[in-house]
Amino acid sequence: MRGDDQQQEGMFSYISPEKRVPADHPLRSIRKMVDEILKEMSPQFAKLYSEVGRPSIAPERLLRSLLLQIFYSVRSERMLIEQLQYNMLFRWFVGMEMDEAVWNHAVFSKNRERLLNEEIAEGFFQRVRERAKPYMSDEHFTVDGTLIEAWASQKSFRRKDGKGNPPDAGGEVDFHGEKRKNQTHESTTDADARLFKKSKGSESKLGYLGHVLMEHRNGLLVETFLTEANGRAERDAAMLMAETIPGGKRVTLGGDKNYDTQEFVRELRGMNITPHVAQNNTNRSSAVDERTTRHAGYEVSQRKRKRVEQSFGWMKMVGMLKKVKLRGIDKVGWLFTFTGAAYNLCRLRNLMARA
């Protein structure tokens, strides 16, 4: 017998969202860690808000929502708010009641702006790292950088003195045949972005350089850093991140051929860090000699250092940093660090499940 296609206008349920989410769902352990971290950060949040006035969206809910946007690659905040309208899993993770009204996307964006500062992102990242310490190596590390494409087009890269070709009726500028450099040009959309290419033969793009320090045991991120894109940025950022490695014993630091310079290798050795960077022997002599390469640990570091590309791939494809939708080095830096923390949360959840 064929059943009736009954249409239900309303719904009343005695089952809470907590019971509807499976006990083994991946977000459960992540939600537990995130709640503990946000509770620790509550005094830090309090400093950002006035004691009078209309209540804003709770910062804890804002950050949980942003984590969901990263985990599920939701490409805009408008779509994130739409998901919160009907997605029970999203509501449960954020901490919303089933009948609670969802915020307007413009209100969400305005409230989110308050949290876009380096202190909040770094505080969240450090607390995630503290929980990951049992799974991290304290002896072997790798440093690397990647190009983060800015939310700015090539046509926005114009002369600073305004002497370039004038825009046509449609607002477009013909820059063909014009020699463009960061010293004479800047983007009218994102003034902090720089024209840069990561390797020879690749296309120059407006962007930033994101840098990470990764430990070798499980590929967890120890530090994140964002700089403007230039030729020395990777080595300068690597030195700054290397200084955060606790002293007391000798450690190793891996890297690709870009870090094989006399100055960089000398500085690392002065910090009691063994430079396990890849040798660059193309038309030159490497700064890393047999004192380092003859040891078996050097070969191990060369294999392990390539795992850093997994973090960059995740942050760009899942975390949507391939072309960042924020402008300005401060906001992009905040998002880069926060996405790094989200990557560590996913890795940490998997490591805890295996234990």
Side-chain angles (χ1 to χ4, degrees):
M1 178 179 177
R2 179 178 176 179
D4 295 332
D5 181 22
Q6 297 181 359
Q7 303 292 327
Q8 186 176 5
E9 295 295 331
M11 182 181 72
F12 184 82
S13 176
Y14 290 99
I15 303 176
S16 67
E18 178 69 25
K19 294 182 178 179
R20 290 186 180 274
V21 178
D24 59 348
H25 195 281
L27 281 182
R28 277 198 175 273
S29 55
I30 293 178
R31 167 74 189 271
K32 183 179 179 181
M33 287 187 287
V34 170
D35 286 349
E36 293 174 355
I37 291 171
L38 295 179
K39 187 176 181 181
E40 294 174 7
M41 296 181 67
S42 182
Q44 197 173 354
F45 295 144
K47 298 177 181 178
L48 302 175
Y49 295 84
S50 172
E51 295 182 358
V52 297
R54 295 175 57 186
S56 66
I57 302 173
E60 294 85 354
R61 289 187 170 188
L62 281 168
L63 291 179
R64 290 194 204 102
S65 300
L66 292 173
L67 282 173
L68 284 174
Q69 186 176 9
I70 294 171
F71 291 150
Y72 288 90
S73 305
V74 182
R75 67 176 182 265
S76 69
E77 291 179 355
R78 187 187 293 267
M79 293 188 68
L80 175 64
I81 297 303
E82 182 182 334
Q83 285 277 348
L84 286 172
Q85 291 280 6
Y86 55 78
N87 193 319
M88 190 180 300
L89 177 66
F90 277 35
R91 279 181 170 263
W92 166 80
F93 188 85
V94 173
M96 300 179 68
E97 297 291 341
M98 294 306 298
D99 296 329
E100 186 176 347
V102 183
W103 323 292
N104 180 274
H105 67 89
V107 174
F108 180 88
S109 299
K110 186 174 181 180
N111 279 262
R112 186 253 301 154
E113 289 288 327
R114 184 181 285 110
L115 298 178
L116 286 180
N117 68 68
E118 185 178 353
E119 184 181 355
I120 294 296
E122 188 62 30
F124 188 86
F125 182 89
Q126 289 178 1
R127 286 170 173 81
V128 173
R129 186 180 60 195
E130 285 295 319
R131 285 155 177 79
K133 268 191 174 180
Y135 303 93
M136 297 172 68
S137 169
D138 60 352
E139 296 179 318
H140 307 292
F141 303 90
T142 282
V143 68
D144 202 2
T146 188
L147 182 65
I148 306 296
E149 190 174 353
W151 194 251
S153 70
Q154 291 281 2
K155 293 180 180 179
S156 72
F157 196 61
R158 302 179 184 177
R159 288 183 63 92
K160 297 178 182 179
D161 56 14
K163 293 182 179 179
N165 296 328
D168 58 20
E172 296 187 358
V173 177
D174 182 11
F175 57 83
H176 294 288
E178 181 181 349
K179 194 171 185 179
R180 303 191 301 166
K181 295 182 178 181
N182 290 314
Q183 292 78 8
T184 57
H185 291 63
E186 71 176 2
S187 171
T188 57
T189 306
D190 186 351
D192 292 336
R194 295 292 182 268
L195 195 64
F196 188 76
K197 60 180 179 180
K198 193 72 167 59
S199 58
K200 293 182 179 180
S202 61
E203 176 189 359
S204 295
K205 296 180 180 180
L206 286 167
Y208 303 89
L209 281 178
H211 316 271
V212 300
L213 179 69
M214 181 198 74
E215 57 83 33
H216 281 185
R217 184 182 300 170
N218 288 300
L220 292 162
L221 303 183
V222 182
E223 291 288 343
T224 63
F225 200 61
L226 188 105
T227 65
E228 71 171 29
N230 63 62
R232 289 188 55 90
E234 288 193 67
R235 292 186 291 275
D236 291 343
M239 293 303 305
L240 291 173
M241 292 188 289
E243 290 175 354
T244 64
I245 299 175
K249 59 181 176 181
R250 196 165 190 85
V251 300
T252 66
L253 184 67
D256 57 28
K257 293 182 179 181
N258 187 49
Y259 299 94
D260 184 12
T261 66
Q262 296 288 344
E263 180 186 3
F264 183 76
V265 170
R266 183 174 59 253
E267 290 290 335
L268 286 185
R269 286 184 171 142
M271 298 166 62
N272 201 30
I273 297 176
T274 303
H276 280 187
V277 300
Q279 289 183 299
N280 185 3
N281 295 317
T282 305
N283 300 323
R284 48 161 288 180
S285 59
S286 173
V288 181
D289 53 32
E290 290 187 0
R291 289 180 298 170
T292 302
T293 59
R294 63 189 175 88
H295 296 286
Y298 178 79
E299 293 298 327
V300 175
S301 291
Q302 291 306 299
R303 294 197 304 269
K304 290 283 189 177
R305 72 174 179 82
K306 296 176 182 178
R307 295 186 65 180
V308 73
E309 300 298 339
Q310 296 178 12
S311 65
F312 288 148
W314 191 95
M315 294 168 75
K316 287 188 175 183
M317 302 309 296
V318 178
M320 299 177 297
L321 285 184
K322 184 176 178 62
K323 186 164 185 173
V324 67
K325 294 185 178 180
L326 296 177
R327 291 169 180 160
I329 194 168
D330 293 334
K331 292 183 179 180
V332 177
W334 183 95
L335 185 59
F336 185 75
T337 299
F338 192 69
T339 306
Y343 172 78
N344 275 353
L345 282 171
C346 287
R347 293 285 301 134
L348 189 54
R349 182 263 162 195
N350 295 335
L351 293 170
M352 293 171 64
R354 297 174 195 164

